[in-house]
């Protein structure tokens, strides 16, 4: 995991690197066309360190020099490098110091690019819903999308959305209203029809079987701030799997410094204010019902509605494709406009493991 010598300094440096370019990116870009970027996020114990050459198709494109100052997988990468078009292999050669003992390592991976499947999702030349339809054609076994009526048998979508806006006291993001024209299923999970959308608290008290009061009531298991958030938030997607989860929108937005509650990103600066009236998207799940996980961008500001709704397909559809088929395979996605999140850790001093976590259930939140 990328660690920062100080939270603000590290965040500033990382953002500056993305804006201005880093040596690794410049080196590989100079050798030919590039297709995407990758960031290496080391996960080693506090005090351990590593130095390594990043070698792409036989050429050194960057050097990783990292010392862990905090535990866990960090959101900012320790290093960003360009992914050359048509790349075949990635190699790391260097030295890792674990518990004060330095050991050399040299490991390479053959690359499999999943861009041929994911590309429709990132086609900025098409409206968002057409991108989803394009992805569904690629992943027919995972995604079902059909024209819908917004649950018109109960209430027409237009009327349902008008009632929701009145209940929330805020206008809905325009893209949420697009959902009213479609029935979208991903495995056993689905976007809610307009007539079934409602506040998170109502979802918990209804289909999820919680009680408002009592020994296990919401008033006992939820902190006041979380209870208030659920009272004012709109649930638009329900996850059915290992327990129940949901994607929801809070029109009040994030509180400055609020913990994102994402898995492993210790020492982060907390949420930063977003655009006025943008609100904040978050995931909730029965396993950690008292800690909703905020969807924040690289600068820890609330993600846009488009990014939040796109995240559903990244987390529940593309995650089916990103597992390596062998120990020496590295999966990347050069279609993804964001930097690929590559986790690096060691299963022994001479045995580094590098793999894609951009679509992982927990780390896709990064």
């Amino acid at each position: 995991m990328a660690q920062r010598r100080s939270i603000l300094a590290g965040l500033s440096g990382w953002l500056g690197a993305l804006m201005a370019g880093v040596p690794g990116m410049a080196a590989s870009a100079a050798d030919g066309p590039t297709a995407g970027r990758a960031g290496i996020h080391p996960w080693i114990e506090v005090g351990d360190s590593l130095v390594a050459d990043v070698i792409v198709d036989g050429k050194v494109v960057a050097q990783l020099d990292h010392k862990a100052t905090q535990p866990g997988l960090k959101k900012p990468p320790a290093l960003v490098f360009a992914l050359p078009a048509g790349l075949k292999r990635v190699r790391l050669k260097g030295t890792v110091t674990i518990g004060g003992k330095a050991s050399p390592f040299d490991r390479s991976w053959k690359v499999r690019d999943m861009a041929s499947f994911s590309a429709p999702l990132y086609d900025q030349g098409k409206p968002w819903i057409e991108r989803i339809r394009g992805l569904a054609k690629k992943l027919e076994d995972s995604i079902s999308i059909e024209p819908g009526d917004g649950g018109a048998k109960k209430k027409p979508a237009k009327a349902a959305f008008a009632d929701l806006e009145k209940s929330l006291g805020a206008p809905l993001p325009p893209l949420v209203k697009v959902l009213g024209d479609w029935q979208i299923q991903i495995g056993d999970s689905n976007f809610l029809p307009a007539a079934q959308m409602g506040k998170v608290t109502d979802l918990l008290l209804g289909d999820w079987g919680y009680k408002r009061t009592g020994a296990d009531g919401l008033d006992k298991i939820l902190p006041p701030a979380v209870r208030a958030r659920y009272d004012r938030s709109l649930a638009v997607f329900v996850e059915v799997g290992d327990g129940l989860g949901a994607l929801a929108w809070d029109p009040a937005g994030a509180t400055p410094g609020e913990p994102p509650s994402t898995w492993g990103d210790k020492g982060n600066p907390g949420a930063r204010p977003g655009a006025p009236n943008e609100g904040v998207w978050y995931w909730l799940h029965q396993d950690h019902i008292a800690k909703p996980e905020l969807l924040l961008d690289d600068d820890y500001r609330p993600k846009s509605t488009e990014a939040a709704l796109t995240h559903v397909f990244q987390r529940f559809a593309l995650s089916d494709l990103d597992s390596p088929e062998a120990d020496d395979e590295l999966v990347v996605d050069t279609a993804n406009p964001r930097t690929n999140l590559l986790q690096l850790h060691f299963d022994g001093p001479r045995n580094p493991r590098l793999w894609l976590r951009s679509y992982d259930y927990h780390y896709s939140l990064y």
Side-chain angles (χ1 to χ4, degrees):
M1 279 36 48
Q3 307 294 330
R4 293 163 287 186
R5 289 187 173 86
S6 71
I7 295 170
L8 294 179
L11 179 59
S12 175
W14 174 56
L15 293 173
L18 292 183
M19 294 297 292
V22 297
M25 291 178 64
S28 60
D31 293 328
T34 60
R37 299 173 300 180
I40 296 179
H41 300 245
W43 190 333
I44 55 179
E45 296 297 322
V46 172
D48 291 348
S49 62
L50 66 99
V51 176
D53 287 335
V54 180
I55 305 167
V56 175
D57 290 337
K59 298 179 181 180
V60 176
V61 299
Q63 185 175 73
L64 174 62
D65 188 348
H66 171 76
K67 183 174 183 177
T69 59
Q70 293 195 33
L73 184 71
K74 302 303 297 178
K75 182 170 184 170
L79 173 76
V80 176
F81 64 97
L83 299 173
L87 79 164
K88 303 297 183 183
R89 298 196 73 88
V90 171
R91 177 184 174 194
L92 295 179
K93 181 180 180 180
T95 301
V96 62
T97 300
I98 298 176
K101 182 179 180 180
S103 301
F105 64 89
D106 188 348
R107 181 77 184 274
S108 67
W109 297 264
K110 59 184 178 183
V111 174
R112 174 166 61 88
D113 192 351
M114 57 184 286
S116 61
F117 293 96
S118 67
L121 184 62
Y122 303 119
D123 185 353
Q124 296 298 313
K126 295 181 179 180
W128 180 81
I129 195 65
E130 292 305 316
R131 288 153 51 192
I132 302 308
R133 296 180 69 188
L135 182 66
K137 291 179 181 178
K138 293 280 189 177
L139 304 176
E140 293 180 346
D141 292 340
S142 301
I143 304 171
S144 170
I145 178 169
E146 302 289 342
D149 58 6
K153 291 182 179 179
K154 294 184 177 180
K155 184 184 295 185
K158 185 176 181 179
F161 286 136
D163 288 347
L164 286 171
E165 290 183 327
K166 183 177 180 180
S167 175
L168 294 169
L172 293 172
L175 201 55
V176 170
K177 295 184 178 181
V178 172
L179 296 174
D181 296 327
W182 300 91
Q183 296 177 345
I184 306 175
Q185 187 104 7
I186 308 175
D188 294 326
S189 306
N190 66 284
F191 282 94
L192 295 170
Q196 294 180 23
M197 289 184 189
K199 291 183 176 179
V200 170
T201 297
D202 295 333
L203 178 68
L204 298 180
L205 296 175
D207 293 345
W208 290 23
Y210 286 89
K211 303 296 183 183
R212 190 178 295 276
T213 59
D216 296 318
L218 297 182
D219 64 333
K220 296 291 193 302
I221 65 175
L222 298 179
V226 174
R227 195 163 68 246
R229 168 164 281 158
Y230 290 169
D231 284 345
R232 64 178 181 255
S233 294
L234 176 71
V236 303
F237 177 85
V238 172
E239 168 194 356
V240 179
D242 187 10
L244 296 172
L247 177 70
W249 177 67
D250 179 357
T255 303
E258 178 182 355
S261 296
T262 44
W263 190 275
D265 185 25
K266 306 300 182 183
N268 65 73
R272 303 178 67 186
N277 304 316
E278 184 178 53
V280 66
W281 287 90
Y282 63 90
W283 287 97
L284 63 143
H285 193 277
Q286 287 179 314
D287 287 347
H288 41 82
I289 195 71
K291 291 185 177 182
E293 299 169 311
L294 305 185
L295 277 172
L296 306 178
D297 65 16
D298 294 335
D299 197 23
Y300 288 91
R301 300 182 189 277
K303 285 191 175 183
S304 67
T305 295
E306 181 177 311
L309 299 185
T310 298
H311 184 251
V312 173
F313 298 91
Q314 295 171 323
R315 197 179 197 192
F316 292 97
L318 293 182
S319 59
D320 291 338
L321 306 175
D322 68 354
S323 297
E325 298 173 355
D327 289 342
D328 66 343
E329 181 179 75
L330 173 64
V331 180
V332 299
D333 187 359
T334 58
N336 191 336
R338 292 194 68 206
T339 301
N340 284 211
L341 192 165
L342 303 182
Q343 178 181 325
L344 171 64
H345 81 259
F346 288 78
D347 292 331
R350 300 177 188 273
N351 189 21
R353 183 183 178 194
L354 185 69
W355 81 107
L356 180 69
R357 307 304 297 269
S358 294
Y359 303 131
D360 177 275
Y361 185 81
H362 292 295
Y363 301 110
S364 63
L365 291 166
Y366 286 17

